[in-house]
Amino acid sequence: AIEGASNWLEFVCIEDTGWVGYQQPGVGTSAIAAVGIMCRCLLGWRADSPFLQRSAGIVAEDKEWNNKSLNYYFVYQATLAMYQMGGKFWDDWNKKMSDYMIGVQIDKGCEKGSWDVDFAEHYKSRVYTTALSALSLEVPYRYLPFAR
């Protein structure tokens, strides 16, 4: 299974650009680039790998994650990836993500402490948005930085 996962990543990753595909080489989103970072880290790649550095740059440059609607899936995957990358990638991402997520958290009424479903086109329910938001904010408390 590990060899198969590694072979699949070799197929869908474009080494010189850092892009990771979903079903075809390099045809993916910045969220899929973040997933690719985590997968390669789990396979033993180090954060200083040129490919992972390029992929982290793609994730870091994404300006759409909180533009019109909050993509909770991207936020969680990017947080996992940037935490493993560490350094400036993590410091910059954690600051902007944490500030933003805390800023849009509901702070009144019976929904206090949750994240709004009306704010996102990428949602399933208030349980989904709140779970991914809390998990994103908890990454440094739940995982070890094993790729650094």
Side-chain angles (χ1 to χ4, degrees):
I2 299 292
E3 185 179 341
S6 185
N7 290 341
W8 179 253
L9 283 167
E10 289 299 319
F11 172 68
V12 295
C13 293
I14 299 180
E15 296 299 322
D16 3 344
T17 65
W19 281 101
V20 179
Y22 186 70
Q23 294 180 324
Q24 301 172 30
V27 183
T29 63
S30 54
I32 299 303
V35 171
I37 291 169
M38 270 308 289
C39 288
R40 283 196 157 174
C41 288
L42 289 167
L43 288 169
W45 285 50
R46 305 292 300 166
D48 60 359
S49 149
F51 175 81
L52 294 184
Q53 292 284 312
R54 286 188 288 274
S55 290
I58 290 166
V59 174
E61 291 169 11
D62 186 294
K63 305 279 189 262
E64 298 296 317
W65 68 274
N66 65 352
N67 199 3
K68 293 180 185 168
S69 67
L70 185 56
N71 185 339
Y72 292 90
Y73 177 78
F74 171 79
V75 170
Y76 181 59
Q77 296 300 336
T79 304
L80 288 170
M82 296 310 226
Y83 181 65
Q84 292 306 319
M85 294 304 294
K88 186 165 174 43
F89 286 120
W90 170 244
D91 293 342
D92 291 352
W93 172 255
N94 187 44
K95 171 84 174 111
K96 72 179 174 183
M97 180 276 299
S98 297
D99 289 351
Y100 188 82
M101 296 304 289
I102 291 166
V104 297
Q105 186 178 26
I106 305 296
D107 61 357
K108 295 180 182 127
C110 63
E111 296 167 343
K112 182 177 181 176
S114 68
W115 278 263
D116 203 347
V117 295
D118 296 333
F119 188 70
E121 74 182 48
H122 308 281
Y123 70 88
K124 306 288 185 217
S125 68
R126 183 171 303 284
V127 172
Y128 173 84
T129 59
T130 300
L132 282 183
S133 297
L135 287 169
S136 296
L137 291 167
E138 294 174 353
V139 163
Y141 307 105
R142 297 178 57 241
Y143 293 94
L144 291 173
F146 53 82
R148 299 183 205 165

